[in-house]
Amino acid sequence: MATNSIEAQFVTFSLGDEIFAVPVEVVREILDHEEAFKIPNGPDYLLGLRDVRGQGVPTIDLRLKLGLSKTVPTPHTRVLVLDVPLADRLLTLGMVADRVFEVTPFRRDKIEAAPDIGIHWNSEYIDGVVRRENGFVVIINLARLLSKEDAAMIASRRAA
């Protein structure tokens, strides 16, 4: 898809009652939830490794990374397998979502910047916000959400 298109495609998912999205280009596949192989001494949001077609993929609980409560798996819980472009490599990562909804187009001219709340807060990981009839969708930039230290730690766990 050309970058000058008036629309961009996103995969929408929920964490609790809130709706988030990531660009469809970074989503490799969507899997049913299953427990990850635990890795000791990792941060709380790193659930462990998951076998994805013969590849050990580090899996994170995005709820914990965003400061929300831990994911409680339900029959709707899914893992998005993502190829996150970092400055020096492509990081394959599993991300747990409470529910995955759809692939949907958003008009680029309807994507708003992260809101200004009058104080400094870590909104660098928000690529934009889209208004919908029933609320908002927050577009997440995973490369910015994961600090350099996070990405290096996750990559080293994958190699272990």
Side-chain angles (χ1 to χ4, degrees), residues 45-97:
Y45 65 86
L46 177 62
L47 298 175
L49 291 176
R50 167 130 188 216
D51 180 59
V52 178
R53 304 189 194 293
Q55 178 183 10
V57 174
T59 301
I60 66 168
D61 186 336
L62 186 60
R63 292 175 61 92
L64 289 175
K65 181 64 180 160
L66 293 176
L68 303 171
S69 62
K70 180 179 170 82
T71 296
V72 177
T74 71
H76 302 289
T77 305
R78 299 290 179 264
V79 175
L80 288 88
V81 180
L82 310 167
D83 289 324
V84 180
L86 301 177
D88 58 344
R89 68 187 181 289
L90 199 62
L91 176 64
T92 300
L93 181 68
M95 181 183 73
V96 176

Side-chain angles (χ1 to χ4, degrees), residues 8-15 18-27 62 66 80 82 95 97 99-106 111 125-130 132 136-143 145:
Q9 300 284 322
F10 292 88
V11 175
T12 59
F13 60 93
S14 69
L15 300 176
E18 310 307 323
I19 308 297
F20 296 88
V22 292
V24 72
E25 299 87 36
V26 303
V27 180
L62 186 60
L66 293 176
L80 288 88
L82 310 167
M95 181 183 73
R99 180 183 294 245
V100 175
F101 294 111
E102 63 186 344
V103 173
T104 188
F106 294 142
I111 298 174
Y125 67 88
I126 299 176
D127 265 353
V129 177
V130 177
R132 287 182 137 177
F136 295 92
V137 177
V138 175
I139 300 171
I140 294 181
N141 182 316
L142 289 163
L145 178 63

Side-chain angles (χ1 to χ4, degrees), residues 22-34:
V22 292
V24 72
E25 299 87 36
V26 303
V27 180
R28 184 190 296 181
E29 58 188 302
I30 300 168
L31 304 172
D32 289 338
H33 180 268
E34 63 182 46

